[in-house]
Amino acid sequence: MKPSRKATPARTPASSPGQSTPQAVAWLGYGGLVPFVALAAASLLAPDHRSLWSPALIAYGAVILSFVGALHWGFAMTVPQMPARQRTIHYVWSVIPALLAWPTPLLPVAAGALVLILGFVAHLVLDFSLVRATPVPAWYLPLRLQLTATACMCLGLGAWAAGR
């Protein structure tokens, strides 16, 4: 005779206490930092090729800033209890990072890096407001904070190296 299992209520990802970042999300998120770290390091350590590394860092930052904007579109689409006004704010915000990022490869490296850093920080601020008002996974904000901090440090280092 099999032991009986007691039915437990299903938990939503946002309500699961102590939930860790899913392995695939961690690999993809932290893996996405590799180009930031590699290009910032190359800008510092291989000054003869800085004219290649620095613009590549800005271009990659532009792609990633555009990507993170889409996260808010996804939340606005999939969180049914989100109030209509907040949903609209997140839909509108979700396209702004791409608009900020788009011209950055055309700017001088320091200016492009500054715009990207400001975009990443603004996105993180909106992430905090999203988390306060919406059920998102417990791991979301700590992950976003770590990824944003690393990306911004790399962009800052790359801009500093380009100015040397």
Side-chain angles (χ1 to χ4, degrees), residues 116-162:
L116 291 170
I117 290 167
L118 292 174
F120 279 115
V121 169
H123 185 79
L124 188 62
V125 168
L126 245 49
D127 279 343
F128 274 96
S129 73
L130 178 73
V131 168
R132 277 194 303 273
T134 308
V136 299
W139 51 261
Y140 177 77
L141 196 54
L143 178 67
R144 290 288 312 123
L145 183 59
Q146 292 168 7
L147 298 177
T148 297
T150 304
C152 289
M153 285 189 296
C154 290
L155 287 164
L157 283 172
W160 179 75

Side-chain angles (χ1 to χ4, degrees), residues 22-157:
Q23 188 174 13
V25 172
W27 276 101
L28 293 166
Y30 295 119
L33 292 176
V34 170
F36 278 115
V37 172
L39 291 167
S43 294
L44 290 168
L45 302 173
D48 294 344
H49 300 288
R50 202 171 279 144
S51 62
L52 173 66
W53 307 131
S54 296
L57 176 61
I58 298 304
Y60 184 69
V63 168
I64 298 303
L65 183 58
S66 297
F67 171 80
V68 298
L71 295 171
H72 284 250
W73 184 283
F75 283 122
M77 281 190 336
T78 60
V79 177
Q81 64 271 37
M82 185 181 287
R85 184 179 186 293
Q86 186 182 7
R87 184 179 313 281
T88 299
I89 288 168
H90 290 290
Y91 278 135
V92 169
W93 170 255
S94 70
V95 299
I96 291 173
L99 295 173
L100 286 173
W102 170 48
T104 59
L106 304 173
L107 298 172
V109 171
L114 179 61
V115 170
L116 291 170
I117 290 167
L118 292 174
F120 279 115
V121 169
H123 185 79
L124 188 62
V125 168
L126 245 49
D127 279 343
F128 274 96
S129 73
L130 178 73
V131 168
R132 277 194 303 273
T134 308
V136 299
W139 51 261
Y140 177 77
L141 196 54
L143 178 67
R144 290 288 312 123
L145 183 59
Q146 292 168 7
L147 298 177
T148 297
T150 304
C152 289
M153 285 189 296
C154 290
L155 287 164
L157 283 172

